[in-house]
């Protein structure tokens, strides 16, 4: 008797985005189970306790979770081989930046849809991206790979600010603006242990507005394109604290960003999946530059925002492409809907009081509100994506609905901070959304 195997899509690595539930539901709608292969949770940030709980909640969403000590290519293929005794593996999916190449390798071995090994490899290395763009005729800032403090100082001679980037890190980890050789020396001293052999890229600082461009790609063709506005915390760090779909752009800007993304798909030979491209329009020249890109689902719940904007059909379409369902109709954008994700950044100081008069998640439109800090805790400027105080998303039907949701949120929750100057003030967790989405404002910001 031949045992019937259960169809499945395998996800490598756990994404903390709240869109996992939508991903799992889409898998079920296609008749497949979602199996997760993941590493143990690890983290030493101030938010580690809250993130660990979030990790456990995510694990409970999938049909089956398999933990491995270290998820490299060998462990991944071995785990899939074991799963294949019970499951018919119909697709594989990268749950985070760290697992892009592993997932692409498994897809190649099993002849499953994916971005392709070349696109995956290039997307994981910022220096390779710079060289590929230069050879492909795309604009890039002056850059250099440096392996010593002397090389770094030589690059800075005669230049304005530069940005330091570890070549293969993600989540804004280790990315800093350096204005002087003194800044450089402090950076190299502070991050010597973090680098752990990772090569360092230095490049000229670009001032301008940054967005991300997300393309759903099928068989080498970008089928759906969405553009996200990105807000960030204080420099010299480049922590993304706000994501808004759609970005407010002129038709000319939108065309320029789309064409840049399509050119990246072409240059890398990307096949199937999602391209997440960060790009910047330089303030002085209005020229559009690629910052970096990845061939996986964007972080910061951006895929969830896009899914809301596209009438809850973008994630199912993405899952379908990874299952090889080539006849799926592309999702259609709802021109009124707005979606926002906020990573809560508080001003430096000590938390005096956390006021919560109502559970924010009971407010219609607020999606999974998390706050990890506590009274008496000292907070500082966020230095990476894991050192913010919490986060939440808002799905609004239009601008008026967004304003209504934020008003209710501020009535329900606020934080009192005693600043470094000794003054105490109440902070609304909606302040950045109001400044960058609801209020008239300058959209020109400094960026790497």
């Amino acid at each position: 008797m031949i045992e019937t195997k259960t169809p499945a899509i395998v996800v490598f690595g756990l994404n903390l985005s709240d869109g996992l539930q939508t991903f799992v539901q889409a898998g079920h709608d296609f008749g497949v189970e979602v199996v997760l292969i993941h590493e143990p949770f690890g983290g030493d940030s101030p938010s580690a306790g809250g993130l660990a709980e979030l990790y456990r909640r995510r694990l409970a969403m999938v049909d089956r979770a398999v933990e491995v000590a270290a998820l490299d290519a060998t462990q991944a293929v071995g785990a899939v081989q074991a799963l294949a005794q019970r499951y018919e593996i119909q697709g594989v999916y990268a749950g985070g930046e760290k697992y892009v190449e592993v997932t692409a390798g498994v897809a190649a071995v099993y002849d499953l849809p994916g971005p392709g090994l070349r696109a995956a490899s290039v997307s994981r290395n910022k220096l390779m991206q710079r060289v590929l763009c230069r050879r492909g005729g795309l604009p890039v800032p002056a850059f250099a790979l440096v392996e010593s403090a002397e090389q770094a100082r030589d690059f800075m001679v005669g230049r304005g600010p530069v940005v330091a980037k570890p070549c293969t890190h993600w989540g804004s980890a280790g990315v800093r603006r350096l204005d002087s050789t003194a800044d450089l020396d402090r950076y190299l001293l502070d991050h010597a242990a973090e680098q752990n052999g990772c090569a360092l890229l230095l490049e000229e600082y670009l001032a301008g507005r940054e967005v991300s461009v997300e393309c759903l790609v099928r068989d080498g063709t970008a089928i759906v394109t969405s553009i996200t506005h990105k807000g960030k915390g204080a420099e010299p760090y480049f922590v993304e604290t706000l994501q808004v779909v759609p970005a407010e752009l002129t038709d000319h800007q939108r065309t320029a960003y789309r064409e840049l993304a399509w050119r990246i798909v072409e240059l890398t030979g990307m096949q199937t999946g999602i391209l997440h491209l960060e790009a910047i329009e330089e303030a002085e020249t209005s020229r559009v530059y690629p910052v970096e890109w990845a061939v996986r689902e964007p972080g910061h719940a951006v895929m969830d925002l896009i899914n809301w904007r596209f009438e809850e059909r973008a994630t199912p379409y993405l899952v379908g492409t990874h299952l090889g369902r080539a006849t799926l109709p592309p999702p259609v954008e709802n021109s009124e809907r707005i979606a926002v994700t906020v990573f809560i950044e508080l001003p430096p100081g000590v938390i005096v009081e956390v006021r919560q008069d109502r559970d924010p998640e009971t407010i219609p439109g607020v999606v999974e509100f998390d706050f990890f800090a506590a009274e008496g805790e000292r907070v500082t400027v966020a230095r990476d994506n894991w050192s913010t105080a919490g986060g939440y998303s808002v799905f609004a039907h239009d601008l008026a609905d967004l304003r209504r949701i934020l008003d209710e949120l501020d009535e329900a929750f606020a934080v009192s901070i005693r600043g470094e100057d000794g003054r105490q003030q109440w902070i609304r967790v909606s302040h950045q959304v109001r400044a960058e989405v609801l209020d008239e404002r300058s959209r020109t910001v400094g960026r790497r």
Side-chain angles (χ1 to χ4, degrees):
M1 177 178 176
I2 300 176
E3 183 180 353
T4 302
K5 294 183 178 182
T6 302
I9 183 169
V10 177
V11 179
F12 293 100
L14 182 58
N15 188 335
L16 296 183
S17 165
D18 53 84
L20 180 60
Q21 188 169 3
T22 305
F23 186 98
V24 172
Q25 184 58 57
H28 292 172
D29 291 343
F30 283 115
V32 303
E33 291 191 0
V34 177
V35 179
L36 172 70
I37 302 175
H38 69 101
E39 294 176 309
F41 173 79
D44 56 3
S45 72
S47 303
L51 290 174
E53 174 58 30
L54 197 58
Y55 203 86
R56 287 190 288 271
R57 294 206 306 262
R58 295 291 181 266
L59 289 178
M61 292 179 179
V62 300
D63 297 298
R64 181 177 178 183
V66 178
E67 184 176 288
V68 297
L71 186 45
D72 58 17
T74 301
Q75 291 285 343
V77 173
V80 170
Q81 281 288 89
L83 290 170
Q85 298 178 31
R86 173 180 171 182
Y87 294 96
E88 177 194 351
I89 311 299
Q90 295 189 354
V92 291
Y93 189 81
E97 176 69 20
K98 184 178 178 181
Y99 310 106
V100 165
E101 288 181 279
V102 166
T103 307
V106 174
V109 168
Y110 285 88
D111 195 25
L112 295 169
L117 283 169
R118 181 173 185 267
S121 178
V122 172
S123 81
R124 290 282 292 124
N125 188 292
K126 297 178 179 66
L127 178 64
M128 292 174 67
Q129 292 182 14
R130 286 287 177 259
V131 173
L132 182 65
C133 285
R134 175 176 284 177
R135 296 188 70 241
L138 294 178
V140 294
F143 66 90
L145 181 70
V146 299
E147 299 179 307
S148 69
E150 183 179 2
Q151 289 178 335
R153 292 189 192 99
D154 288 344
F155 179 79
M156 293 186 70
V157 172
R159 300 185 189 278
V162 303
V163 177
K165 298 179 180 181
C167 277
T168 57
H169 287 187
W170 64 93
S172 298
V175 181
R176 299 290 184 274
R177 170 176 164 159
L178 309 176
D179 293 319
S180 66
T181 54
D183 288 346
L184 171 66
D185 291 341
R186 281 192 295 270
Y187 175 86
L188 295 176
L189 181 63
D190 291 345
H191 298 280
E194 282 182 30
Q195 300 306 320
N196 193 27
C198 178
L200 186 66
L201 184 71
L202 290 185
E203 60 185 34
E204 287 185 321
Y205 173 88
L206 297 176
R209 180 192 180 189
E210 185 179 337
V211 303
S212 65
V213 188
E214 284 73 39
C215 292
L216 302 184
V217 181
R218 187 175 68 199
D219 297 329
T221 300
I223 306 297
V224 175
T225 304
S226 177
I227 304 179
T228 305
H229 166 70
K230 301 159 74 72
K232 65 180 183 65
E235 293 185 4
Y237 310 104
F238 295 96
V239 180
E240 295 166 14
T241 55
L242 178 70
Q243 315 286 335
V244 184
V245 174
E248 185 179 322
L249 301 168
T250 66
D251 289 343
H252 175 77
Q253 289 171 320
R254 192 169 296 276
T255 297
Y257 284 124
R258 282 175 171 165
E259 290 180 350
L260 176 61
W262 297 342
R263 180 64 176 142
I264 296 296
V265 171
E266 180 183 32
L267 281 174
T268 60
M270 183 182 175
Q271 291 302 302
T272 293
I274 183 166
L275 172 74
H276 169 60
L277 165 68
E278 297 177 355
I280 185 169
E281 182 183 57
E282 188 182 29
E284 290 186 5
T285 66
S286 298
R287 198 176 190 187
V288 173
Y289 287 77
V291 174
E292 58 191 55
W293 67 83
V295 290
R296 46 80 179 160
E297 180 178 328
H300 298 168
V302 171
M303 193 63 214
D304 311 332
L305 310 187
I306 295 171
N307 196 51
W308 171 256
R309 177 78 174 178
F310 282 81
E311 302 275 13
E312 293 84 40
R313 292 179 58 200
T315 295
Y317 186 84
L318 181 62
V319 174
T321 61
H322 282 273
L323 292 170
R325 311 296 169 91
T327 58
L328 289 172
V332 178
E333 192 171 13
N334 183 316
S335 62
E336 294 297 318
R337 286 186 171 185
I338 301 171
V340 180
T341 284
V342 177
F343 280 72
I344 301 169
E345 184 178 35
L346 300 173
V350 175
I351 297 177
V352 177
E353 183 180 351
V354 177
R355 174 182 61 78
Q356 181 171 312
D357 297 330
R358 173 185 176 187
D359 181 355
E361 291 186 14
T362 65
I363 300 170
V366 175
V367 181
E368 196 165 38
F369 183 98
D370 290 296
F371 188 77
F372 303 135
E375 292 177 2
E377 185 175 320
R378 177 171 293 279
V379 292
T380 60
V381 172
R383 299 189 174 204
D384 55 40
N385 290 343
W386 299 276
S387 58
T388 52
Y392 63 92
S393 295
V394 172
F395 294 168
H397 291 280
D398 53 33
L399 200 61
D401 190 36
L402 176 61
R403 190 180 298 276
R404 186 271 307 169
I405 295 169
L406 296 179
D407 287 345
E408 289 194 42
L409 178 59
D410 289 336
E411 290 177 4
F413 190 94
V415 182
S416 178
I417 296 283
R418 181 181 296 111
E420 296 177 334
D421 59 1
R423 297 173 58 190
Q424 187 171 327
Q425 61 176 326
W426 283 97
I427 305 299
R428 301 184 301 182
V429 292
S430 72
H431 66 92
Q432 191 172 4
V433 185
R434 293 181 184 277
E436 297 200 36
V437 182
L438 295 183
D439 300 339
E440 292 294 327
R441 75 257 185 216
S442 169
R443 290 183 175 274
T444 299
V445 296
R447 189 50 169 147
R448 60 188 187 272

